[in-house]
Amino acid sequence: MGNTLEQRVQETFDYLHKHPEISWEEKETTNYIKSLLENSGCKVTVFDDCTGVIGEYGNFNSDLPVVGVRADIDALWQEVNGEFQANHSCGHDAHMAIVLGVLWKLEQELELKDKVAIKFIFQPAEETGTGALQMIEKQVVADVDYLFGVHLRPEQELKMGQASPVIVHGASKMYSATIKGDGDAHGARPHLNHNAIEIGAQIVNMISQIHLDPRVPHSVKMTNFHAGGKSTNIIPGNASFALDLRAQSNELIEQLERKVKNIFHSIQELYDVEIKITSENGLPAAETNEEAISIMKKAISETLGEENTMPSLVTPGGDDFHFYTIKKPSLKATMLGLGCDLTPGLHHPYMTFNKEALQNGVDILSRAILNTYKI
């Protein structure tokens, strides 16, 4: 591995980028990070029933506050060059390299080890929205007082050399559901069933008429619909579909859910069919903490300059990072938004970014930790 910190971080990123693993299958990633944490003298925790790895660095036998630094470790499954494969197109490879770089940067200052208590959290399955909940169940943040995260941002939000002290993600909810009627009918006898396709169209029309507070961004859209088969003279009585719900606040997503479920109930009564939600998952909106944001803002200003310290970044995207504060309200947490000229966008199979931003992330997060301890 390279001699300088920048080289180590870059080489670590290159390795992780070339070895992506999807949610809950990050076994080699876990083992790789585990070995690096052990080499840096961390107390390491892994789990028998899931991926992910925790490294404790510093003095945990004191009254020092515990600072957690979290990196997500999973990749997406998507089509790249005509083949479906695991692919780090959301920047998690960068997040891991940055957080490891923070450890290595702090490790260079030997006198710091007794003055800090840092928990490095390499969390699985962010892309499924379930990894943070599993770490919470494992009591990973039970002793954590401050929690910092990081996420690369597309160039439309932040330019290279800029950073935001908080990403204010919105809330999301995804439903998979079925429409179950009287079964199929002959095309010549439409009175013998209710056309599941027409019912789906009615759902689309009704969700488009949901009106909530226009000052708070929100949306509902049908993202897939399947009904019928190869025969064009059969009216399908059954179907499956999915909905994507989004709102910028947790309060509004709850209102949105009630409206959608009321629509389902009305459609069932009108057409005498059953609409059943077969699966649902989602992410909460960010619950922000002013102290954590202030610490991160100061770290950005000291690292990149006040002129590159951007305001709070509001985005309709989501991240399961916010489950930590939802489940533990006393946690003082924020997620650093890192400018890196990322293009054409997150989750694009050919996403690229300026790798020099990796060191910016290392420097900002390291400074935020030291600011927390007033060092």
Side-chain angles (χ1 to χ4, degrees):
M1 193 170 279
N3 295 324
T4 69
L5 176 61
E6 291 84 353
Q7 288 172 333
R8 291 182 73 185
V9 171
Q10 181 63 60
E11 289 173 17
T12 301
F13 167 81
D14 291 340
Y15 175 86
L16 291 166
H17 184 74
K18 293 173 183 175
H19 297 84
E21 295 175 297
I22 61 173
S23 302
W24 297 124
E25 295 183 18
E26 314 97 326
K27 294 180 181 178
E28 294 304 319
T29 304
T30 295
N31 290 334
Y32 175 75
I33 296 172
K34 176 176 180 287
S35 66
L36 294 176
L37 294 173
E38 289 173 338
N39 289 341
S40 291
C42 290
K43 176 186 174 183
V44 175
T45 301
V46 291
F47 309 100
D48 293 333
D49 57 348
C50 71
T51 47
V53 55
I54 314 300
E56 294 181 4
Y57 181 83
N59 184 4
F60 282 77
N61 298 314
S62 66
D63 293 330
L64 289 169
V66 176
V67 176
V69 188
R70 175 268 205 174
D72 29 22
I73 69 174
D74 56 330
L76 291 157
W77 184 257
Q78 60 186 162
E79 187 176 355
V80 183
N81 295 325
E83 294 185 8
F84 278 91
Q85 61 188 63
N87 187 40
H88 273 304
S89 60
C90 200
H92 295 185
D93 43 2
H95 305 163
M96 289 183 276
I98 288 170
V99 171
L100 286 165
V102 172
L103 169 61
W104 296 330
K105 186 178 178 72
L106 297 176
E107 191 183 5
Q108 292 174 349
E109 306 294 332
L110 297 178
E111 72 277 4
L112 285 177
K113 193 163 186 181
D114 289 331
K115 300 177 181 179
V116 298
I118 308 168
K119 185 174 280 191
F120 294 95
I121 302 168
F122 292 89
Q123 177 215 298
E126 187 279 327
E127 295 296 351
T128 64
T130 54
L133 291 171
Q134 180 76 311
M135 294 297 100
I136 293 165
E137 188 176 315
K138 298 289 186 183
Q139 300 295 306
V140 166
V141 296
D143 61 343
V144 175
D145 301 292
Y146 295 85
L147 182 65
F148 300 132
V150 59
H151 209 299
L152 306 183
R153 304 315 302 166
E155 63 177 358
Q156 297 90 343
E157 294 180 354
L158 293 173
K159 303 301 182 183
M160 176 65 191
Q162 298 177 336
S164 169
V166 59
I167 304 175
V168 187
H169 287 106
S172 61
K173 198 80 176 185
M174 278 71 73
Y175 292 149
S176 294
T178 57
I179 300 169
K180 186 171 177 57
D182 292 329
D184 296 341
H186 194 288
R189 299 173 181 84
H191 60 291
L192 295 181
N193 79 345
H194 290 290
N195 189 333
I197 297 173
E198 294 176 353
I199 293 172
Q202 183 77 338
I203 293 172
V204 170
N205 288 333
M206 293 181 75
I207 63 175
S208 70
Q209 296 173 41
I210 293 175
H211 299 294
L212 299 175
D213 188 342
R215 296 170 299 176
V216 183
H218 59 276
S219 67
V220 192
K221 55 269 184 192
M222 187 172 287
T223 53
N224 70 51
F225 189 89
H226 301 278
K230 294 183 178 180
S231 300
T232 57
N233 62 345
I234 293 177
I235 302 169
N238 305 318
S240 63
F241 66 95
L243 294 183
D244 177 284
L245 291 70
R246 298 193 179 256
Q248 202 57 50
S249 71
N250 290 314
E251 294 75 19
L252 206 69
I253 199 74
E254 291 177 3
Q255 294 179 39
L256 210 51
E257 282 195 85
R258 285 197 297 272
K259 294 281 189 181
V260 168
K261 289 180 178 178
N262 285 340
I263 287 171
F264 288 171
H265 179 74
S266 298
I267 293 286
Q268 288 182 122
E269 293 295 311
L270 179 61
Y271 293 103
D272 195 24
V273 296
E274 178 188 21
I275 298 178
K276 182 178 180 180
I277 297 173
T278 56
S279 70
E280 58 180 288
N281 58 74
L283 299 170
E287 297 287 351
T288 58
N289 178 270
E290 289 305 316
E291 183 180 349
I293 294 170
S294 177
I295 291 170
M296 190 66 72
K297 184 177 181 180
K298 184 171 183 285
I300 297 169
S301 180
E302 292 173 341
T303 303
L304 302 181
E306 188 173 348
E307 69 278 10
N308 291 313
T309 306
M310 297 295 108
S312 300
L313 183 59
V314 179
T315 172
D319 197 294
D320 75 351
F321 178 84
H322 305 297
F323 275 125
Y324 292 111
T325 48
I326 296 294
K327 297 296 184 180
K328 187 181 179 181
S330 64
L331 195 60
K332 299 170 183 177
T334 192
M335 178 176 279
L336 168 69
L338 188 62
C340 56
D341 284 345
L342 185 152
T343 184
L346 293 167
H347 288 208
H348 190 283
Y350 309 114
M351 180 273 279
T352 61
F353 68 97
N354 188 333
K355 307 303 185 298
E356 293 180 9
L358 295 171
Q359 192 58 43
N360 288 346
V362 171
D363 293 340
I364 295 167
L365 285 176
S366 299
R367 189 68 253 164
I369 292 170
L370 296 179
N371 286 348
T372 305
Y373 290 105
K374 297 179 170 58
I375 297 174

